[in-house]
Amino acid sequence: MVSNLLDLSANPATKEAIVKDAQALVESELANKSGISAGAVKLAYKAVTSFAPGYYTETLNILVPSMLEALQPFWADFQLAGGGSFGDYLVKRQDEVTPALLKVTDDMAHSSEKAVVVKAYNTVRGGASKHIEAALPALGGLVEKYAA
């Protein structure tokens, strides 16, 4: 098992596979959402993927190492604790994990020069915590898939 999650993004083939799986995870999470806040998230996703072709995949390529870095302290603690799944661990620590992951996306949004992307992000940022929390079990599974 990998002890440092950043090692996963050092291998271009592994990073590419993680990016593809991350994109599939986001699309799966979006497909399973309903309601007003889900509509806003789906609209923001469509805006980014329609008005900035290639930007989403490019962004995931940048986000993956940053997300792995944000998850590293939790991964290290999870390995010391032993047992269970990383997804379950993340859910139990969601009050710490969610802000750590949001900091990554907030920083990226603040540095973006694409107004449509920033506007879309700002539209959904208020409800982002609950969407991240819902995705933590799947995110933990994705990390374990590559770290094993």
Side-chain angles (χ1 to χ4, degrees):
M1 203 172 268
V2 174
S3 61
N4 186 343
L5 294 179
L6 280 174
D7 292 345
L8 298 174
S9 63
N11 178 322
T14 303
K15 182 181 174 190
E16 182 180 338
I18 293 171
V19 166
K20 285 181 183 178
D21 281 355
Q23 188 166 356
L25 186 151
V26 169
E27 290 169 358
S28 173
E29 289 292 320
L30 282 173
N32 292 324
K33 297 204 176 303
S34 62
I36 295 171
S37 68
V41 172
K42 289 177 180 182
L43 186 61
Y45 179 80
K46 184 172 181 157
V48 170
T49 55
S50 297
F51 297 111
Y55 182 78
Y56 180 64
T57 303
E58 185 181 310
T59 299
L60 281 176
N61 272 298
I62 296 167
L63 278 176
V64 163
S66 299
M67 290 289 188
L68 292 173
E69 183 176 5
L71 289 171
Q72 178 57 40
F74 303 105
W75 178 251
D77 188 59
F78 167 74
Q79 286 186 303
L80 288 174
S85 74
F86 190 48
D88 290 342
Y89 173 89
L90 293 176
V91 170
K92 290 176 190 164
R93 304 273 307 266
Q94 69 185 10
D95 290 345
E96 299 166 71
V97 175
T98 300
L101 295 175
L102 281 171
K103 182 176 179 346
V104 173
T105 57
D106 287 348
D107 289 349
M108 184 158 224
H110 293 319
S111 67
S112 178
E113 295 178 7
K114 295 196 178 289
V116 70
V117 172
V118 174
K119 183 176 181 178
Y121 181 78
N122 289 336
T123 300
V124 299
R125 175 55 175 88
S129 292
K130 68 180 177 184
H131 298 299
I132 288 175
E133 289 166 0
L136 288 176
L139 177 61
L142 189 152
V143 170
E144 279 189 298
K145 174 181 176 180
Y146 291 97

